[in-house]
Each structure stands twice: as structure tokens, then as C-alpha cells.
Amino acid sequence: MWLWSVIIGVILFVVLLIFEFIYLSNHFKAKRAKQDMAKHRFDHAWLGRSGTGYIGVAGQELVVYKTPQRQTKFALGKLFVFTQKTRVDFNTTYGPLTAQQQLWGVILTKADFADFTHWLTDHGILVTPLTKLMADVQAVIRKKGTSTRDQGTVK
């Protein structure tokens, strides 16, 4: 019986270590994002949840920070914003996002999400739910008379 106690104890210890690793990893990502955000002089800034980075606006530029090595800038005049729940994705065209573009998505708290989308609409930037974008894409495909299944066939 003591063997089962040891096995269960080891399993619980491993689960605890995995949980702590995930929690601390996100904790330190969020801490680095806060420190980097404090270094810059942004007109407005929104911190992502669980270490997903931050969004900062300075002048006519929007900065998306994920890690010190992964940062990108978007000109506000050429920006389209797509939302899904409290996740915000960015693109320079009104079209579906590639897997690479989805890497720049930031998850915000509900309050920051509402504040950020309100700020975007006040500044004339198109904010579109991702489901509406995909419906628009499907409508264009239907209008052309082809579907994604027909693209590989010869007529």
C-alpha cells in the first residue's frame, strides 16, 4: 500500500511542477511586457492578459509587443483590426489572416478590450469581428461561383 502512496505522491508532485512552470512562465512574460511598456512613451497602452504582450500607440503608429525579440509596428492609416471574444488581431488588408499574422494577436481583459476598441473606432480604424470577415470571404467566393473545393479542379 505504501507503494501506491509514493506513486500518487510523485504524480501529484509532477503535476504541481508543470502547473508552476506554466504559471511562472506567463508571470515573467507579463512582467517583462510591463517593464518594456514603462520604458516607452506611449500615448495609450493596453497590457495583454497572461503574458500575451501589450499594444501601445505613439503618434500614428501602433506597436505590438510579444517578447523583446518579437515586436512589430503598424501605421494607423493602414490598419485593420479583427476581434474574437477579447482577442485582437491586426492586418494591413481587409482579408483573412495567415498563421504568421495570427502570431501578433493579443488577448486583453474585458475592460481593456472595450477601451481599446472604443479608442480605435474614435480614430476611424475599422474593427471587425473575425466571424464577419469570414462571412464576407464566403460571400465573395459564392459571388465568384467557385468554392474552395473547386479550386483544384479543371473545368
Side-chain angles (χ1 to χ4, degrees), residues 100-118:
Q100 182 67 27
Q101 290 167 327
Q102 289 177 351
L103 292 176
W104 296 108
V106 177
I107 301 169
L108 300 171
T109 64
K110 288 182 181 183
D112 281 346
F113 178 79
D115 185 46
F116 181 59
T117 54
H118 180 72

Side-chain angles (χ1 to χ4, degrees), residues 118-136:
H118 180 72
W119 185 90
L120 290 170
T121 53
D122 283 351
H123 288 80
I125 298 170
L126 182 63
V127 178
T128 308
L130 201 53
T131 53
K132 181 180 179 337
L133 171 69
M134 296 315 289
D136 291 347

Side-chain angles (χ1 to χ4, degrees), residues 47-113:
L47 187 62
R49 283 183 44 210
S50 302
T52 59
Y54 68 81
I55 304 165
V57 177
Q60 292 298 310
E61 245 180 9
L62 183 131
V63 176
V64 179
Y65 171 94
K66 298 300 262 184
T67 66
Q69 295 80 24
R70 291 186 47 225
Q71 302 177 44
T72 191
K73 296 178 181 180
F74 295 96
L76 289 181
K78 299 178 181 180
L79 182 65
F80 293 90
V81 178
F82 304 104
T83 62
Q84 185 177 12
K85 294 185 181 179
T86 59
R87 179 186 169 92
V88 183
D89 288 294
F90 307 94
N91 201 352
T92 54
T93 60
Y94 186 82
L97 298 167
T98 64
Q100 182 67 27
Q101 290 167 327
Q102 289 177 351
L103 292 176
W104 296 108
V106 177
I107 301 169
L108 300 171
T109 64
K110 288 182 181 183
D112 281 346
F113 178 79

